[in-house]
Amino acid sequence: MYTARDARQIARQDARPYSHILDKLRGAGLRPTRQRMALAKLLFEGGDRHLTAEMLHADAQAANVRVSLATVYNTLHQFHRAGLLREIVVDSQRSYFDTNMSDHHHFYFDRTGDLTDIPGDQVAISVLPPAPEGMAVSRIDVVVRVRPQDD
Amino acid sequence: MYTARDARQIARQDARPYSHILDKLRGAGLRPTRQRMALAKLLFEGGDRHLTAEMLHADAQAANVRVSLATVYNTLHQFHRAGLLREIVVDSQRSYFDTNMSDHHHFYFDRTGDLTDIPGDQVAISVLPPAPEGMAVSRIDVVVRVRPQDD
DNA sequence: GTCAAGTTTAGAATAATTTTAATTTAAATG
DNA sequence: CATTTAAATTAAAATTATTCTAAACTTGAC
């Protein structure tokens, strides 16, 4: 399936190749190095994604981008600090990064470890305690854990 | 500070030493071994706690209970499987276990990594999407991340 | 008591991540 | 453009949390 909207998006990207990625890095005060550009392209041109360092590293290899695992880790953390990525904690032992920065939550499939987005407007919290003295709420994470019905 | 309620509780424990702990293990189909009894006492007689394997191991040492770290890990997982503990995922890299099994949520202090309970009745979710096809919701975790106001 | 099954343990192994120290690259400056 | 410098990249070693292994104990049933 391929819509007119897709065509417009592809055309736009062809017209000014990678300039949006470049702007993203510049805006975050990060030097647009070869590796960062390549990783940013992989991360941000594929729609919303949830991935680990290993996964991004594999993606890079597959795309013939030679980049060390250490750099993938560095880059993910820098992007996170710069506000380009969100870190999702659902699995101790593995860090997931989310390219979807909009307000949203997650389904977590206990069995498989998969993760899918729940748009922000599909969750509403109507009662919440005040933040502890001197503290401000920086974010509310809702994780809806699901598993096969027959279990 | 030491209240009449504390006195009653201590008296009750003295009266039937560890029988509630014993029952807990028996009820879960776990043999009441020396190590499991000791760890269960540390876990369940100190009110609601959030702890890692390392923390419980240190507690045990401090209480002069000689138990290996491997056993602490085994025991935490067995208790978890048996429904005596809840696992909380807030920090990739470290697994926390929660002795509070009642319906509740958490404040997470980003800066320090601390964790405190939010009683279940202080959070209400009024809108929620249906679970994905063929899946059932097993739990909803709400983590309210907070940090110092001036940040 | 004896025995089988379940537990515990020290220590080795693993997996994810971080650190180190040397090398390379990007950008600022002359 | 050549030079310099600060930042980024890297391979490899180190670290951390956790799991595995295989041998040595316990526990509960008979």
Side-chain angles (χ1 to χ4, degrees):
Chain A
M1 204 167 5
Y2 175 79
T3 67
R5 187 170 164 284
D6 294 332
R8 279 197 304 282
Q9 181 156 4
I10 289 163
R12 197 179 322 118
Q13 286 177 7
D14 279 349
R16 29 186 182 100
Y18 315 135
S19 68
H20 56 303
I21 294 283
L22 234 170
D23 293 349
K24 219 169 200 180
L25 294 189
R26 288 252 164 76
L30 295 169
R31 280 199 202 164
T33 65
R34 186 168 22 276
Q35 292 84 334
R36 284 212 273 243
M37 287 291 289
L39 293 177
K41 271 186 257 169
L42 289 170
L43 282 168
F44 302 117
E45 293 189 339
D48 295 339
R49 310 190 60 190
H50 305 118
L51 30 69
T52 63
E54 290 284 357
M55 287 162 69
L56 179 55
H57 189 235
D59 265 29
Q61 313 262 249
N64 262 304
V65 172
R66 287 184 64 263
V67 61
S68 73
L69 187 53
T71 296
V72 173
Y73 274 103
N74 289 339
T75 303
L76 284 172
H77 288 135
Q78 287 155 350
F79 285 10
H80 177 232
R81 252 179 279 121
L84 304 180
L85 288 177
R86 222 167 112 164
E87 191 172 4
I88 316 178
V89 185
V90 269
D91 178 356
S92 51
Q93 247 38 13
R94 211 175 240 56
S95 264
Y96 281 88
F97 291 88
D98 191 344
T99 61
N100 180 353
M101 291 298 291
S102 70
D103 170 41
H104 71 289
H105 300 284
H106 295 98
F107 278 121
Y108 180 66
F109 296 76
D110 267 313
R111 187 61 51 80
T112 60
D114 281 348
L115 206 54
T116 64
D117 283 354
I118 303 175
D121 61 6
Q122 288 186 29
V123 173
I125 299 175
S126 53
V127 178
L128 204 67
E133 198 55 35
M135 294 283 155
V137 173
S138 59
R139 194 168 85 206
I140 299 175
D141 285 332
V142 177
V143 176
V144 180
R145 292 176 180 263
V146 297
R147 57 174 169 201
Q149 250 155 13
D150 47 306
D151 223 49
Chain B
M1 205 164 10
Y2 175 79
T3 67
R5 186 170 163 285
D6 293 332
R8 279 198 305 280
Q9 182 157 3
I10 289 161
R12 197 180 322 119
Q13 286 177 4
D14 280 351
R16 26 184 184 101
Y18 316 135
S19 68
H20 56 302
I21 294 283
L22 235 170
D23 294 348
K24 219 169 201 182
L25 294 188
R26 288 251 165 77
L30 294 169
R31 283 197 199 164
T33 65
R34 188 173 15 282
Q35 293 83 334
R36 285 212 271 244
M37 286 293 287
L39 293 176
K41 271 186 259 169
L42 289 170
L43 282 169
F44 303 117
E45 292 188 341
D48 295 338
R49 309 191 62 191
H50 303 117
L51 28 68
T52 64
E54 290 283 356
M55 287 163 67
L56 180 55
H57 188 234
D59 265 30
Q61 313 263 249
N64 262 303
V65 173
R66 286 184 63 264
V67 61
S68 73
L69 187 54
T71 296
V72 173
Y73 274 103
N74 289 339
T75 303
L76 285 172
H77 288 137
Q78 288 156 348
F79 285 10
H80 177 232
R81 252 178 280 121
L84 304 179
L85 288 176
R86 220 167 112 165
E87 191 171 3
I88 316 177
V89 186
V90 269
D91 178 356
S92 52
Q93 250 35 12
R94 214 174 237 56
S95 262
Y96 281 87
F97 291 88
D98 190 344
T99 61
N100 180 353
M101 290 299 290
S102 70
D103 169 42
H104 71 289
H105 299 283
H106 295 99
F107 278 121
Y108 180 65
F109 296 75
D110 267 314
R111 187 60 53 80
T112 62
D114 281 348
L115 207 53
T116 64
D117 284 353
I118 303 176
D121 60 8
Q122 288 185 30
V123 173
I125 298 175
S126 53
V127 178
L128 204 67
E133 199 53 37
M135 294 282 156
V137 173
S138 59
R139 195 169 86 206
I140 298 175
D141 286 332
V142 177
V143 175
V144 180
R145 291 174 181 262
V146 298
R147 58 174 168 201
Q149 250 155 13
D150 46 308
D151 224 49

